[in-house]
Amino acid sequence: MTALATSNTVAVVGTGTMGQGIAQVALVAGHRVRLYDTAAGRAGQAAEAIGGRLDRLVEKGRISADERDAARERLSPATALAELADAALVIEAILEQLPAKQELFTALEDIVAMDCLLATNTSSLSVTAVAGRLRHPGRCLGMHFFNPAPLLPLVEVVSGFATDESAATAAYETAVAWGKQPVRCTDTPGFVVNRIARPFYAEALRAYEERVADPATIDAVLRDGAGFKMGPFELTDLIGQDVNEAVTHSVWQAFFQDPKFTPSLAQRRLVESGLHGRKAGRGWFDYSEGARRPGPRTAEPCPAPGSVGLHAKLPGPAVVLRELIEEAGIKVTRDRTPGESEGFLRLPGGACLGLTNGYPATSDVHGKYIRFDLSLDYRAATRIALAASEAVSEADLAEAVGLFQAMGKQVSVIEDVPGMIVARTVAMIIDFAVDAAARGVASPQDIDTAMRLGVNYPGGPLEWAERLGAPWVWDLLDSMHHQNAGGRYAPSWALRRRADLEK
């Protein structure tokens, strides 16, 4: 099958924000669109709201007045489910409750034609389970749009266990015709984005619970140090703490309570308190009028050392730091410390400064050790996190702070924990992506595309694996695994195989 012709009718059931957005996408693409909602009058109100958004598109020059008028003619609210009988595609965007979705599609089977596609916009429920009660489950699939649907390009086209290949292909090609960037995936908990993105939220929450740093600092380190557009605390406030926590809990349950997906007690308490984020006026941050946003923990200016010693080659992306140090006018000499294989910088006071390796700085046998966090691009990063062992003096730490400040970075000093903030987060995301690709959840290309477009990552996690090297990622997670019983950081066998091949 190919894309649905624009002469075909598309029906959208559920007229909340997502339903209206999907309807607008199909409408602008040229289809007749019927809206249905079980609440009386809601479909008519949604049609009026969509009309208002079409007016704004005309004002912005995105569509012409004639195109708007034609689109309005093609849009009609339905007062009964039976009015969707001529639809070639029905997309539901109702409550994230499995019985409700099953009941809807079961009813639609008696109304629509045999070749009508039935698509669920679920973000975390099993497509296979949604289709499980249908007489003809082969035409049921997932079309997971991202909010706001008219603006965000990604659509996850999800094949359930019984979905026909022709149905998935038709949905994929239709999404392309609508100007979207679809990716194909199998029916796994969270699909691609909500599965692989879990560590971005989970590790930040875990770091907060471990008192590594406050939410504003954790956000700043991931945003300014790793290139993420938003930090996890401000992002979950935007998404809604209740929504984000519900997806996390759903994925965790679907994976039989795998410790890698364990929800956060801190977030649970926030939700229980009704602090759901921006929509509630307060979440991790206060959004009430006049409220001041807390700033990240930032070190005061410190003098830069005149020179540093370099022992061996700094690992992974940190190798560029030598260039940045020399560009800052600081001399780099060769450090000849015997018996050391790991690359690090020797500060004038004798302390070692090295990239986090999954062990806390305090555990290093050489005592005076300061760890700096990972960055995906040290040249572009504007903030770096440091963690020092207990043996490090204030003067030693000031030398490390001054060194990074001389390179144009702000510095956040955090508590000394394995993996720090960026490294543990990025390594977990990479491991999830490598594991998903190995299990056939989606192709490597689609995984990277989904994470760039679905959650606006500064790159694809499998691209990061290429840049960092699977051995470095595996070593860091394996180190954390041996210090944290329970399996949360146990690297996948897929990552181990990849690491062995790259050695």
Side-chain angles (χ1 to χ4, degrees):
M1 293 180 68
T2 57
L4 294 179
T6 54
S7 57
N8 290 129
T9 298
V10 173
V12 178
V13 180
T15 58
T17 301
M18 183 59 78
Q20 290 182 32
I22 296 170
Q24 181 181 327
V25 170
L27 193 65
V28 171
H31 292 270
R32 292 191 304 274
V33 175
R34 288 202 175 87
L35 294 170
Y36 175 74
D37 198 293
T38 54
R42 284 286 300 274
Q45 294 169 6
E48 291 179 7
I50 294 170
R53 284 197 285 273
L54 293 175
D55 289 339
R56 289 191 287 276
L57 290 179
V58 172
E59 293 169 3
K60 295 177 181 179
R62 305 280 179 82
I63 61 174
S64 68
D66 288 344
E67 289 172 327
R68 174 201 58 197
D69 294 342
R72 280 178 167 170
E73 288 294 321
R74 295 194 303 271
L75 179 63
S76 60
T79 58
L81 206 60
E83 294 175 39
L84 311 185
D86 66 338
L89 167 63
V90 180
I91 304 176
E92 68 79 16
I94 64 174
L95 294 174
E96 281 289 271
Q97 296 177 359
L98 180 59
K101 295 179 188 292
Q102 290 175 325
E103 182 179 348
L104 170 64
F105 283 142
T106 300
L108 282 168
E109 265 202 314
D110 294 328
I111 295 170
V112 299
M114 280 290 297
D115 58 351
C116 176
L117 298 179
L118 302 178
T120 172
N121 184 57
T122 183
S123 60
S124 59
L125 297 177
S126 165
V127 172
T128 302
V130 171
R133 294 185 180 178
L134 298 179
R135 297 189 302 274
H136 306 286
R139 59 174 167 173
C140 185
L141 69 152
M143 289 186 74
H144 179 216
F145 291 76
F146 288 74
N147 194 30
L151 297 180
L152 294 186
L154 183 68
V155 178
E156 292 177 320
V157 177
V158 187
S159 291
F161 185 79
T163 301
D164 291 336
E165 178 66 21
S166 59
T169 299
Y172 182 96
E173 296 298 338
T174 298
V176 171
W178 290 358
K180 296 301 182 182
Q181 174 60 69
V183 296
R184 298 186 66 163
C185 61
T186 59
D187 184 21
T188 184
F191 311 139
V192 178
V193 173
N194 278 326
R195 172 180 177 149
I196 296 173
R198 291 339 308 155
F200 183 68
Y201 314 111
E203 291 310 306
L205 289 162
R206 181 73 170 254
Y208 168 77
E209 292 172 341
E210 293 170 349
R211 296 296 184 262
V212 175
D214 60 277
T217 300
I218 294 171
D219 274 358
V221 169
L222 282 160
R223 187 179 59 244
D224 305 338
F228 291 97
K229 299 298 182 183
M230 297 181 73
F233 292 96
E234 58 186 344
L235 180 55
T236 52
D237 269 356
L238 178 63
I239 295 169
Q241 296 300 332
D242 53 336
V243 174
N244 182 261
E245 200 259 356
V247 172
T248 297
H249 196 271
S250 175
V251 173
W252 175 61
Q253 290 283 21
F255 274 113
F256 307 105
Q257 301 185 1
D258 186 325
K260 290 178 180 290
F261 297 93
T262 301
S264 163
L265 181 59
Q267 188 177 40
R268 177 94 287 269
R269 293 291 179 259
L270 201 70
V271 172
E272 290 173 339
S273 300
L275 305 179
H276 294 170
R278 286 180 179 271
K279 62 186 177 183
R282 185 178 170 191
W284 291 110
F285 305 110
D286 189 347
Y287 299 94
S288 60
E289 186 175 353
R292 285 191 63 183
R293 182 75 168 266
R297 185 190 308 170
T298 304
E300 294 294 325
C302 296
S307 65
V308 294
L310 175 61
H311 178 86
K313 181 181 178 180
L314 292 174
V319 68
V320 74
L321 288 179
R322 175 171 185 164
E323 294 178 14
L324 297 180
I325 293 169
E326 291 177 332
E327 289 170 10
I330 299 170
K331 184 179 180 181
V332 179
T333 62
R334 186 174 181 183
D335 182 84
R336 298 182 180 276
T337 304
E340 287 276 4
S341 59
E342 178 184 329
F344 64 86
L345 297 166
R346 175 79 68 182
L347 298 171
C352 299
L353 177 63
L355 176 64
T356 181
N357 61 358
Y359 288 101
T362 301
S363 70
D364 194 276
V365 295
H366 297 89
K368 292 178 63 173
Y369 222 107
I370 303 169
R371 292 286 178 185
F372 59 87
D373 208 347
L374 173 69
S375 173
L376 295 169
D377 185 346
Y378 282 100
R379 186 171 289 277
T382 59
R383 182 178 296 271
I384 296 294
L386 299 180
S389 70
E390 294 183 3
V392 168
S393 68
E394 290 187 8
D396 293 325
L397 185 57
E399 288 179 344
V401 170
L403 176 65
F404 278 102
Q405 289 174 338
M407 289 185 273
K409 320 298 182 188
Q410 292 183 304
V411 177
S412 293
V413 179
I414 64 174
E415 295 301 312
D416 181 27
V417 294
M420 301 185 71
I421 295 173
V422 176
R424 70 199 280 182
T425 301
V426 168
M428 287 286 282
I429 291 172
I430 289 172
D431 189 38
F432 276 35
V434 170
D435 182 61
R439 293 176 184 270
V441 172
S443 70
Q445 180 180 355
D446 276 357
I447 287 172
D448 277 355
T449 296
M451 302 314 292
R452 285 195 308 268
L453 299 182
V455 278
N456 211 14
Y457 279 4
L462 296 173
E463 294 173 359
W464 299 342
E466 292 284 345
R467 289 163 54 191
L468 298 176
W472 184 85
V473 179
W474 191 89
D475 286 343
L476 183 133
L477 289 176
D478 190 52
S479 299
M480 294 188 67
H481 171 56
H482 283 93
Q483 298 169 87
N484 294 270
R488 182 185 183 97
Y489 299 104
S492 67
W493 279 111
L495 182 63
R496 175 60 183 266
R497 288 195 299 270
R498 181 165 178 159
D500 288 344
L501 290 171
E502 291 182 15
K503 286 182 180 178

